[in-house]
Amino acid sequence: MRNRLAAAVVALTLAGAADARTILFVGNSFTFGANSPVQTFHPDRVTDLNHEGIGGVPALFKTFATESGLDWQVSLETSPGKSLAFHYETKRDTLAGRWDVVILQGYSTLDAARPGNPETHVCAAGQLAAMFKAANPNATVDLVTTWSRADLTYRPGSPWSGKPITAMVGDLAAANAMAVREFRTINAAIPVGQSWIRAFDAGVADPDPYDGTDFGKVDLWSWDYYHASAAGYYLEALVVFASVTGVDPRSLGVKESAAREIGLSPAVAKALQGIAFDEVAATKLRK
C-alpha cells in the first residue's frame, strides 16, 4: 500500500504535456459557478462558446494551469439547470470541434423529472462521448461526479431526505461508474463530490449548513444550500485540474492567486488543495 501511494504521489507531481492542449467544459450552474464570484472570474482567460461572459470553474482551471507552467486553451459551454441530454439535443453544432479533453457535468439529481434515475444521464453521456471521439479519436472524455445537495438531504421531499450526506454523492458516483462501464468512449469519473465528503471527514468543511458553520470550518455550499460557495467551486476546480493534468494541487501553494481573488484565505486555499490531492491520489489507488 505504501508503494502504491508513493506511485500515486509521483503521478500527481509530474506535470502534463508541455505542448498546448485544448479542454472543453460542458455543464450547467455547477460548472459556471452560480451564486459566487467564480461565475464572473476572468472570463477573458477562457472562450465561452455561448458568448455569455462566463469564467467559472473553467477560468479557475486555466489560472491553475498558467501558474503551473502549462499551456491549456480552455473553452466552455454551459446553461443553467440543464442536463447532458440538453447539450446533446440542442448544442451539438456549438460543441463541434476537435478537443483534446472534454469535461461533462450533468444535472444535479441526474434527472429533473425522476430524481436519482440514471438512465437519461448515462445515455446522454454516451452520446456526447461518441460525438467527441468521432471528431478526435484520441480525445479524453471525463464525467464530473458532483456533490450532495444540502437542501435535498436536510429538508423533506426528496429521495435523499433524512439520509447521510454521503448518500446523494454515492448515487451520483454510481451513475457515472455505470456510464464508464457501459461506454468505452468515457475515460473516467472525476471525484468532486467525494472530495466534499473528504473535506467533511477531515474537519475542513461543515457537513450541515442548516445548523450553522462550526468555527474554523468552511461552508462549501452557497446561501441556497444547493449550489457551491466560492470555496466549493475552488475545490471542484482543484480536483478537475489534478485529475486532468496530473499536477499536485498542493504545488499551487498558499499564495495561489485565484483563491485570493475569490475571497479565500491562504489557510483555506492550502486546506482545500490538500483535500483535492488526497482525493485524487486515493482515486488512483482504487483503480
Side-chain angles (χ1 to χ4, degrees):
M1 175 64 76
R2 185 171 299 173
N3 290 337
R4 293 174 64 202
L5 179 58
V9 171
V10 169
L12 284 175
T13 301
L14 297 176
D19 295 337
R21 304 194 70 201
T22 60
I23 183 169
L24 172 66
F25 288 78
V26 179
N28 53 42
S29 54
F30 280 20
T31 293
F32 70 65
N35 292 356
S36 83
V38 171
Q39 181 170 343
T40 55
F41 178 79
H42 287 288
D44 54 296
R45 296 179 181 175
V46 297
T47 299
D48 181 351
L49 300 182
N50 292 330
H51 309 290
E52 295 172 338
I54 298 294
V57 169
L60 292 177
F61 179 100
K62 173 64 175 180
T63 302
F64 300 159
T66 300
E67 292 171 336
S68 301
L70 303 178
D71 187 4
W72 282 84
Q73 303 304 309
V74 181
S75 299
L76 64 118
E77 190 281 299
T78 58
S79 185
K82 300 299 195 301
S83 65
L84 292 180
F86 166 85
H87 297 283
Y88 180 73
E89 292 164 3
T90 70
K91 293 289 187 175
R92 288 199 295 277
D93 289 344
T94 304
L95 298 171
R98 186 180 177 88
W99 308 98
D100 294 319
V101 178
V102 179
I103 305 299
L104 302 177
Q105 177 262 307
Y107 194 73
S108 65
T109 64
L110 299 174
D111 187 318
R114 301 175 297 168
N117 188 304
E119 294 176 6
T120 300
H121 172 80
V122 170
C123 178
Q127 290 171 320
L128 284 166
M131 180 184 76
F132 291 122
K133 294 287 277 189
N136 178 11
N138 294 319
T140 298
V141 181
D142 289 334
L143 284 168
V144 174
T145 299
T146 53
W147 50 87
S148 293
R149 286 175 48 178
D151 63 323
L152 297 183
T153 299
Y154 298 112
R155 291 293 180 264
S158 94
W160 300 281
S161 297
K163 294 183 179 179
I165 196 63
T166 56
M168 188 173 183
V169 167
D171 289 344
L172 300 175
N176 281 348
M178 183 187 304
V180 172
R181 287 194 305 270
E182 188 165 334
F183 300 105
R184 291 188 176 184
T185 48
I186 300 175
N187 173 59
I190 296 178
V192 171
Q194 294 93 322
S195 74
W196 281 43
I197 302 303
R198 184 176 294 274
F200 300 148
D201 291 344
V204 170
D206 192 311
D208 184 355
Y210 284 97
D211 64 3
T213 304
D214 291 347
F215 179 77
K217 296 182 181 180
V218 297
D219 188 351
L220 295 177
W221 288 282
S222 180
W223 51 265
D224 60 2
Y225 309 133
Y226 167 178
H227 295 89
S229 64
Y233 291 122
Y234 188 75
L235 180 54
E236 177 183 3
L238 289 168
V239 173
V240 174
F241 178 70
S243 298
V244 169
T245 68
V247 172
D248 182 344
R250 300 173 301 179
S251 67
L252 297 168
V254 297
K255 295 183 179 180
E256 197 284 310
S257 65
R260 181 178 66 253
E261 289 191 54
I262 63 175
L264 303 183
S265 71
V268 167
K270 179 179 180 181
L272 295 177
Q273 291 165 13
I275 292 294
F277 171 82
D278 289 344
E279 185 57 44
V280 176
T283 299
K284 288 181 178 294
L285 287 178
R286 288 192 290 266
K287 289 183 178 180

PDB file of all heavy atoms in Angstrom, residues 169-192:
ATOM      1  N   VAL A 169     -24.107  11.679  -3.012  1.00  0.00           N
ATOM      2  CA  VAL A 169     -22.851  11.505  -3.749  1.00  0.00           C
ATOM      3  C   VAL A 169     -22.696  10.056  -4.192  1.00  0.00           C
ATOM      4  O   VAL A 169     -22.263   9.783  -5.320  1.00  0.00           O
ATOM      5  CB  VAL A 169     -21.639  11.926  -2.888  1.00  0.00           C
ATOM      6  CG1 VAL A 169     -20.335  11.453  -3.518  1.00  0.00           C
ATOM      7  CG2 VAL A 169     -21.604  13.432  -2.722  1.00  0.00           C
ATOM      8  N   GLY A 170     -23.064   9.135  -3.336  1.00  0.00           N
ATOM      9  CA  GLY A 170     -22.971   7.724  -3.685  1.00  0.00           C
ATOM     10  C   GLY A 170     -23.796   7.382  -4.910  1.00  0.00           C
ATOM     11  O   GLY A 170     -23.343   6.638  -5.786  1.00  0.00           O
ATOM     12  N   ASP A 171     -25.007   7.932  -4.992  1.00  0.00           N
ATOM     13  CA  ASP A 171     -25.869   7.670  -6.135  1.00  0.00           C
ATOM     14  C   ASP A 171     -25.320   8.316  -7.409  1.00  0.00           C
ATOM     15  O   ASP A 171     -25.372   7.721  -8.497  1.00  0.00           O
ATOM     16  CB  ASP A 171     -27.281   8.174  -5.862  1.00  0.00           C
ATOM     17  CG  ASP A 171     -28.012   7.338  -4.824  1.00  0.00           C
ATOM     18  OD1 ASP A 171     -27.561   6.207  -4.542  1.00  0.00           O
ATOM     19  OD2 ASP A 171     -29.032   7.812  -4.286  1.00  0.00           O
ATOM     20  N   LEU A 172     -24.816   9.530  -7.294  1.00  0.00           N
ATOM     21  CA  LEU A 172     -24.239  10.214  -8.448  1.00  0.00           C
ATOM     22  C   LEU A 172     -23.003   9.472  -8.955  1.00  0.00           C
ATOM     23  O   LEU A 172     -22.800   9.314 -10.168  1.00  0.00           O
ATOM     24  CB  LEU A 172     -23.883  11.652  -8.086  1.00  0.00           C
ATOM     25  CG  LEU A 172     -25.040  12.544  -7.613  1.00  0.00           C
ATOM     26  CD1 LEU A 172     -24.517  13.910  -7.182  1.00  0.00           C
ATOM     27  CD2 LEU A 172     -26.092  12.701  -8.699  1.00  0.00           C
ATOM     28  N   ALA A 173     -22.185   9.011  -8.010  1.00  0.00           N
ATOM     29  CA  ALA A 173     -20.979   8.270  -8.384  1.00  0.00           C
ATOM     30  C   ALA A 173     -21.339   6.949  -9.053  1.00  0.00           C
ATOM     31  O   ALA A 173     -20.685   6.526 -10.022  1.00  0.00           O
ATOM     32  CB  ALA A 173     -20.116   8.024  -7.152  1.00  0.00           C
ATOM     33  N   ALA A 174     -22.370   6.291  -8.550  1.00  0.00           N
ATOM     34  CA  ALA A 174     -22.792   5.015  -9.133  1.00  0.00           C
ATOM     35  C   ALA A 174     -23.274   5.214 -10.566  1.00  0.00           C
ATOM     36  O   ALA A 174     -23.007   4.382 -11.449  1.00  0.00           O
ATOM     37  CB  ALA A 174     -23.892   4.391  -8.287  1.00  0.00           C
ATOM     38  N   ALA A 175     -23.976   6.308 -10.818  1.00  0.00           N
ATOM     39  CA  ALA A 175     -24.453   6.600 -12.175  1.00  0.00           C
ATOM     40  C   ALA A 175     -23.281   6.834 -13.121  1.00  0.00           C
ATOM     41  O   ALA A 175     -23.259   6.316 -14.249  1.00  0.00           O
ATOM     42  CB  ALA A 175     -25.370   7.813 -12.160  1.00  0.00           C
ATOM     43  N   ASN A 176     -22.303   7.597 -12.672  1.00  0.00           N
ATOM     44  CA  ASN A 176     -21.140   7.845 -13.522  1.00  0.00           C
ATOM     45  C   ASN A 176     -20.318   6.579 -13.740  1.00  0.00           C
ATOM     46  O   ASN A 176     -19.779   6.348 -14.830  1.00  0.00           O
ATOM     47  CB  ASN A 176     -20.281   8.957 -12.934  1.00  0.00           C
ATOM     48  CG  ASN A 176     -20.844  10.334 -13.227  1.00  0.00           C
ATOM     49  OD1 ASN A 176     -21.753  10.484 -14.042  1.00  0.00           O
ATOM     50  ND2 ASN A 176     -20.313  11.352 -12.564  1.00  0.00           N
ATOM     51  N   ALA A 177     -20.211   5.763 -12.699  1.00  0.00           N
ATOM     52  CA  ALA A 177     -19.496   4.488 -12.855  1.00  0.00           C
ATOM     53  C   ALA A 177     -20.200   3.604 -13.877  1.00  0.00           C
ATOM     54  O   ALA A 177     -19.553   2.897 -14.666  1.00  0.00           O
ATOM     55  CB  ALA A 177     -19.402   3.779 -11.505  1.00  0.00           C
ATOM     56  N   MET A 178     -21.525   3.647 -13.882  1.00  0.00           N
ATOM     57  CA  MET A 178     -22.297   2.897 -14.868  1.00  0.00           C
ATOM     58  C   MET A 178     -21.976   3.371 -16.280  1.00  0.00           C
ATOM     59  O   MET A 178     -21.791   2.567 -17.200  1.00  0.00           O
ATOM     60  CB  MET A 178     -23.799   3.061 -14.584  1.00  0.00           C
ATOM     61  CG  MET A 178     -24.706   2.267 -15.500  1.00  0.00           C
ATOM     62  SD  MET A 178     -26.463   2.663 -15.233  1.00  0.00           S
ATOM     63  CE  MET A 178     -26.613   2.330 -13.469  1.00  0.00           C
ATOM     64  N   ALA A 179     -21.887   4.692 -16.457  1.00  0.00           N
ATOM     65  CA  ALA A 179     -21.578   5.251 -17.773  1.00  0.00           C
ATOM     66  C   ALA A 179     -20.177   4.849 -18.228  1.00  0.00           C
ATOM     67  O   ALA A 179     -19.963   4.506 -19.400  1.00  0.00           O
ATOM     68  CB  ALA A 179     -21.710   6.767 -17.736  1.00  0.00           C
ATOM     69  N   VAL A 180     -19.220   4.878 -17.299  1.00  0.00           N
ATOM     70  CA  VAL A 180     -17.844   4.496 -17.643  1.00  0.00           C
ATOM     71  C   VAL A 180     -17.788   3.030 -18.046  1.00  0.00           C
ATOM     72  O   VAL A 180     -17.077   2.653 -18.998  1.00  0.00           O
ATOM     73  CB  VAL A 180     -16.892   4.788 -16.460  1.00  0.00           C
ATOM     74  CG1 VAL A 180     -15.508   4.219 -16.729  1.00  0.00           C
ATOM     75  CG2 VAL A 180     -16.806   6.287 -16.195  1.00  0.00           C
ATOM     76  N   ARG A 181     -18.530   2.177 -17.340  1.00  0.00           N
ATOM     77  CA  ARG A 181     -18.551   0.752 -17.674  1.00  0.00           C
ATOM     78  C   ARG A 181     -19.219   0.504 -19.031  1.00  0.00           C
ATOM     79  O   ARG A 181     -18.772  -0.335 -19.816  1.00  0.00           O
ATOM     80  CB  ARG A 181     -19.297  -0.042 -16.600  1.00  0.00           C
ATOM     81  CG  ARG A 181     -18.563  -0.200 -15.294  1.00  0.00           C
ATOM     82  CD  ARG A 181     -19.222  -1.274 -14.444  1.00  0.00           C
ATOM     83  NE  ARG A 181     -20.643  -1.021 -14.229  1.00  0.00           N
ATOM     84  CZ  ARG A 181     -21.150  -0.321 -13.208  1.00  0.00           C
ATOM     85  NH1 ARG A 181     -20.316   0.217 -12.315  1.00  0.00           N
ATOM     86  NH2 ARG A 181     -22.445  -0.156 -13.085  1.00  0.00           N
ATOM     87  N   GLU A 182     -20.292   1.231 -19.292  1.00  0.00           N
ATOM     88  CA  GLU A 182     -21.093   0.974 -20.484  1.00  0.00           C
ATOM     89  C   GLU A 182     -20.465   1.516 -21.760  1.00  0.00           C
ATOM     90  O   GLU A 182     -20.646   0.944 -22.836  1.00  0.00           O
ATOM     91  CB  GLU A 182     -22.490   1.562 -20.300  1.00  0.00           C
ATOM     92  CG  GLU A 182     -23.459   1.188 -21.407  1.00  0.00           C
ATOM     93  CD  GLU A 182     -24.904   1.473 -21.028  1.00  0.00           C
ATOM     94  OE1 GLU A 182     -25.221   1.489 -19.821  1.00  0.00           O
ATOM     95  OE2 GLU A 182     -25.712   1.672 -21.951  1.00  0.00           O
ATOM     96  N   PHE A 183     -19.736   2.626 -21.637  1.00  0.00           N
ATOM     97  CA  PHE A 183     -19.200   3.280 -22.829  1.00  0.00           C
ATOM     98  C   PHE A 183     -17.678   3.397 -22.738  1.00  0.00           C
ATOM     99  O   PHE A 183     -17.157   4.133 -21.906  1.00  0.00           O
ATOM    100  CB  PHE A 183     -19.817   4.671 -22.996  1.00  0.00           C
ATOM    101  CG  PHE A 183     -21.306   4.661 -23.153  1.00  0.00           C
ATOM    102  CD1 PHE A 183     -22.130   5.054 -22.099  1.00  0.00           C
ATOM    103  CD2 PHE A 183     -21.891   4.254 -24.347  1.00  0.00           C
ATOM    104  CE1 PHE A 183     -23.505   5.042 -22.234  1.00  0.00           C
ATOM    105  CE2 PHE A 183     -23.272   4.238 -24.495  1.00  0.00           C
ATOM    106  CZ  PHE A 183     -24.086   4.633 -23.436  1.00  0.00           C
ATOM    107  N   ARG A 184     -16.997   2.704 -23.623  1.00  0.00           N
ATOM    108  CA  ARG A 184     -15.533   2.775 -23.642  1.00  0.00           C
ATOM    109  C   ARG A 184     -15.043   4.153 -24.063  1.00  0.00           C
ATOM    110  O   ARG A 184     -13.864   4.471 -23.890  1.00  0.00           O
ATOM    111  CB  ARG A 184     -14.979   1.713 -24.590  1.00  0.00           C
ATOM    112  CG  ARG A 184     -15.175   0.292 -24.085  1.00  0.00           C
ATOM    113  CD  ARG A 184     -14.437  -0.690 -24.972  1.00  0.00           C
ATOM    114  NE  ARG A 184     -14.540  -2.057 -24.462  1.00  0.00           N
ATOM    115  CZ  ARG A 184     -13.930  -3.099 -25.009  1.00  0.00           C
ATOM    116  NH1 ARG A 184     -13.190  -2.934 -26.103  1.00  0.00           N
ATOM    117  NH2 ARG A 184     -14.075  -4.298 -24.493  1.00  0.00           N
ATOM    118  N   THR A 185     -15.926   4.943 -24.636  1.00  0.00           N
ATOM    119  CA  THR A 185     -15.569   6.298 -25.058  1.00  0.00           C
ATOM    120  C   THR A 185     -15.424   7.252 -23.872  1.00  0.00           C
ATOM    121  O   THR A 185     -14.906   8.352 -24.033  1.00  0.00           O
ATOM    122  CB  THR A 185     -16.649   6.843 -26.007  1.00  0.00           C
ATOM    123  OG1 THR A 185     -17.937   6.604 -25.421  1.00  0.00           O
ATOM    124  CG2 THR A 185     -16.565   6.163 -27.365  1.00  0.00           C
ATOM    125  N   ILE A 186     -15.883   6.839 -22.699  1.00  0.00           N
ATOM    126  CA  ILE A 186     -15.758   7.669 -21.493  1.00  0.00           C
ATOM    127  C   ILE A 186     -14.582   7.160 -20.685  1.00  0.00           C
ATOM    128  O   ILE A 186     -14.514   5.979 -20.329  1.00  0.00           O
ATOM    129  CB  ILE A 186     -17.049   7.641 -20.656  1.00  0.00           C
ATOM    130  CG1 ILE A 186     -18.225   8.166 -21.484  1.00  0.00           C
ATOM    131  CG2 ILE A 186     -16.883   8.475 -19.386  1.00  0.00           C
ATOM    132  CD1 ILE A 186     -19.564   8.051 -20.779  1.00  0.00           C
ATOM    133  N   ASN A 187     -13.675   8.048 -20.366  1.00  0.00           N
ATOM    134  CA  ASN A 187     -12.434   7.664 -19.693  1.00  0.00           C
ATOM    135  C   ASN A 187     -12.627   7.381 -18.212  1.00  0.00           C
ATOM    136  O   ASN A 187     -12.242   6.324 -17.714  1.00  0.00           O
ATOM    137  CB  ASN A 187     -11.403   8.783 -19.877  1.00  0.00           C
ATOM    138  CG  ASN A 187     -10.141   8.563 -19.082  1.00  0.00           C
ATOM    139  OD1 ASN A 187      -9.460   7.554 -19.247  1.00  0.00           O
ATOM    140  ND2 ASN A 187      -9.834   9.507 -18.192  1.00  0.00           N
ATOM    141  N   ALA A 188     -13.204   8.330 -17.486  1.00  0.00           N
ATOM    142  CA  ALA A 188     -13.269   8.201 -16.028  1.00  0.00           C
ATOM    143  C   ALA A 188     -14.260   9.198 -15.453  1.00  0.00           C
ATOM    144  O   ALA A 188     -14.719  10.124 -16.134  1.00  0.00           O
ATOM    145  CB  ALA A 188     -11.884   8.445 -15.420  1.00  0.00           C
ATOM    146  N   ALA A 189     -14.571   9.008 -14.184  1.00  0.00           N
ATOM    147  CA  ALA A 189     -15.364   9.969 -13.420  1.00  0.00           C
ATOM    148  C   ALA A 189     -14.434  10.738 -12.486  1.00  0.00           C
ATOM    149  O   ALA A 189     -13.558  10.146 -11.851  1.00  0.00           O
ATOM    150  CB  ALA A 189     -16.445   9.259 -12.620  1.00  0.00           C
ATOM    151  N   ILE A 190     -14.618  12.039 -12.431  1.00  0.00           N
ATOM    152  CA  ILE A 190     -13.775  12.896 -11.594  1.00  0.00           C
ATOM    153  C   ILE A 190     -14.469  13.101 -10.247  1.00  0.00           C
ATOM    154  O   ILE A 190     -15.607  13.560 -10.194  1.00  0.00           O
ATOM    155  CB  ILE A 190     -13.517  14.241 -12.301  1.00  0.00           C
ATOM    156  CG1 ILE A 190     -12.721  14.000 -13.595  1.00  0.00           C
ATOM    157  CG2 ILE A 190     -12.787  15.208 -11.384  1.00  0.00           C
ATOM    158  CD1 ILE A 190     -12.450  15.245 -14.402  1.00  0.00           C
ATOM    159  N   PRO A 191     -13.799  12.776  -9.129  1.00  0.00           N
ATOM    160  CA  PRO A 191     -14.459  12.675  -7.812  1.00  0.00           C
ATOM    161  C   PRO A 191     -14.621  13.997  -7.052  1.00  0.00           C
ATOM    162  O   PRO A 191     -14.140  14.149  -5.938  1.00  0.00           O
ATOM    163  CB  PRO A 191     -13.525  11.725  -7.057  1.00  0.00           C
ATOM    164  CG  PRO A 191     -12.158  12.084  -7.575  1.00  0.00           C
ATOM    165  CD  PRO A 191     -12.376  12.363  -9.054  1.00  0.00           C
ATOM    166  N   VAL A 192     -15.351  14.922  -7.653  1.00  0.00           N
ATOM    167  CA  VAL A 192     -15.575  16.204  -6.970  1.00  0.00           C
ATOM    168  C   VAL A 192     -16.448  16.012  -5.732  1.00  0.00           C
ATOM    169  O   VAL A 192     -16.115  16.471  -4.637  1.00  0.00           O
ATOM    170  CB  VAL A 192     -16.199  17.229  -7.936  1.00  0.00           C
ATOM    171  CG1 VAL A 192     -16.641  18.489  -7.168  1.00  0.00           C
ATOM    172  CG2 VAL A 192     -15.212  17.597  -9.031  1.00  0.00           C
TER     173      VAL A 192
END
